[in-house]
Amino acid sequence: MKNSSLKELWTNYFSNNYAYREWFFQKLGFAILIFALTYVIVFNYEVVPLPESICLLIDCTLLLKYPNLVLLAVCGLLALYVSEKWMPVTLSALSVLIFLLCVIPDSNGHLLWVEVLFTIPIAQLLAYLLYPKNAEGLAKSRVQFSVAAIAAVYVLSGTTKLQDSHFTWVAQTQNLPVHVLKASFNMAHSHLKGFSLSDTQWAQTVANWMLAHPNLLMFLTAFALCIELFAFLAVIGKRFALGYGFLLLLLHAGVRLAMSIVLPFIVVAMLVYYINIFYFMWLVLYSFTVGLKKMAPG
């Protein structure tokens, strides 16, 4: 591509244009995420001791008895998905299979917050059903419907905090140091080998900082809550989603710094559909390659 087309690529990335190349990288990113999810679940769980949701009606352990077969089936569906083949059928099958996989951690008492992943193909399926012959409408809706599915998780998280605290979440910041220490002790204690109080030293430092800066802590807590509650603004358009993606990155970085809590599947899903991280990385690499060619003699 010429230099002008490179400029156009960057312009489109920061615009509300929904190019197919960008959609391809989002599909690729989601495929990698689902492959990782499948691998983690089928090769790390063996039983379903506390059946939840659909596992109350069917035997979800069947997925765990044949891990290689399940992984092969997922890979086949993801290959069809990335290559844009039979999308309504492919997305329907992916939704069902991902839903079954997502229930397994919950049925083992592990809250991984991965349920959002099965709502993404459902959202995309809705786009393909609503705009089968409208290329422009489909290009936008399959991305923004996915953004909406992820935004719902953040909004639900924010409203749950308000509901559980009877709308006094920000005013209860004096309790946050206790939650920080509790989370740290729980995580350290779960590592049975080599557990020591030194493993919670960072949490104690954070808790002390919180106690020493109550007003700043209240401001940061209110800011984080607003980010969650207004996550639906990302649905307005691609440019809004991109900007909001960086706000959500700040939110996750703060939670990781304060409480050592990481939600990798949610974070990656957000990066794929809000920031289009894989396309961004390709764009940076491509720009670097073009720059080197321009610098080369002859």
Side-chain angles (χ1 to χ4, degrees):
M1 293 185 181
K2 297 181 180 180
N3 193 42
S4 58
S5 58
L6 177 60
K7 181 180 179 181
E8 184 180 345
L9 288 174
W10 279 107
T11 300
N12 285 336
Y13 176 74
F14 290 105
S15 72
N16 281 322
N17 297 327
Y18 296 84
Y20 181 80
R21 181 186 281 108
E22 297 179 38
W23 166 240
F24 171 80
F25 276 96
Q26 287 177 317
K27 289 189 297 181
L28 182 62
F30 185 67
I32 293 173
L33 180 61
I34 297 305
F35 175 84
L37 172 75
T38 305
Y39 188 90
V40 167
I41 291 178
V42 299
F43 289 108
N44 284 278
Y45 293 95
E46 297 180 355
V47 295
V48 182
L50 304 168
E52 296 282 347
S53 185
I54 192 66
C55 290
L56 291 169
L57 304 176
I58 64 175
D59 186 7
C60 292
T61 57
L62 292 176
L63 295 174
L64 305 177
K65 290 179 180 178
Y66 307 100
N68 292 318
L69 188 60
V70 172
L71 191 62
L72 182 62
V74 169
C75 286
L77 288 173
L78 292 176
L80 293 173
Y81 173 70
V82 173
S83 58
E84 200 81 14
K85 299 293 185 182
W86 309 309
M87 290 301 275
V89 176
T90 300
L91 287 168
S92 298
L94 269 177
S95 300
V96 172
L97 196 49
I98 295 172
F99 174 67
L100 292 172
L101 289 169
C102 288
V103 175
I104 291 175
D106 285 347
S107 298
N108 277 266
H110 299 156
L111 299 178
L112 301 184
W113 296 91
V114 293
E115 288 81 359
V116 64
L117 297 182
F118 89 87
T119 66
I120 292 174
I122 291 178
Q124 294 174 10
L125 173 61
L126 180 62
Y128 278 89
L129 294 178
L130 289 177
Y131 301 97
K133 298 180 180 180
N134 184 341
E136 184 177 348
L138 176 60
K140 178 180 179 179
S141 61
R142 62 192 175 191
V143 175
Q144 290 307 116
F145 285 6
S146 303
V147 168
I150 299 170
V153 175
Y154 292 101
V155 175
L156 180 61
S157 174
T159 53
T160 299
K161 288 183 177 70
L162 288 178
Q163 182 179 0
D164 292 346
S165 65
H166 301 287
F167 296 91
T168 59
W169 174 256
V170 176
Q172 293 181 1
T173 51
Q174 71 274 9
N175 297 326
L176 279 180
V178 177
H179 291 300
V180 168
L181 290 173
K182 180 180 178 181
S184 178
F185 274 96
N186 287 340
M187 292 180 64
H189 188 65
S190 65
H191 296 83
L192 298 180
K193 295 181 180 179
F195 167 70
S196 66
L197 290 178
S198 62
D199 296 326
T200 65
Q201 185 174 357
W202 173 251
Q204 294 176 48
T205 301
V206 172
N208 289 333
W209 181 90
M210 289 180 172
L211 291 172
H213 303 85
N215 293 331
L216 180 56
L217 178 60
M218 184 175 294
F219 170 77
L220 292 175
T221 302
F223 182 59
L225 182 62
C226 287
I227 291 177
E228 288 185 322
L229 291 176
F230 291 96
F232 62 86
L233 292 175
V235 181
I236 295 176
K238 180 180 151 189
R239 189 177 294 167
F240 271 83
L242 178 61
Y244 218 92
F246 288 102
L247 283 178
L248 291 172
L249 270 181
L250 284 177
L251 174 66
H252 284 290
V255 173
R256 171 66 180 86
L257 188 66
M259 304 187 71
S260 299
I261 295 176
V262 181
L263 303 172
F265 292 106
I266 292 179
V267 172
V268 174
M270 185 274 294
L271 288 173
V272 167
Y273 289 104
Y274 282 61
I275 298 178
N276 202 349
I277 188 64
F278 288 94
Y279 177 72
F280 178 79
M281 292 167 61
W282 173 84
L283 202 50
V284 170
L285 182 61
Y286 179 72
S287 300
F288 180 72
T289 303
V290 171
L292 287 179
K293 288 182 179 179
K294 287 182 63 178
M295 294 171 60

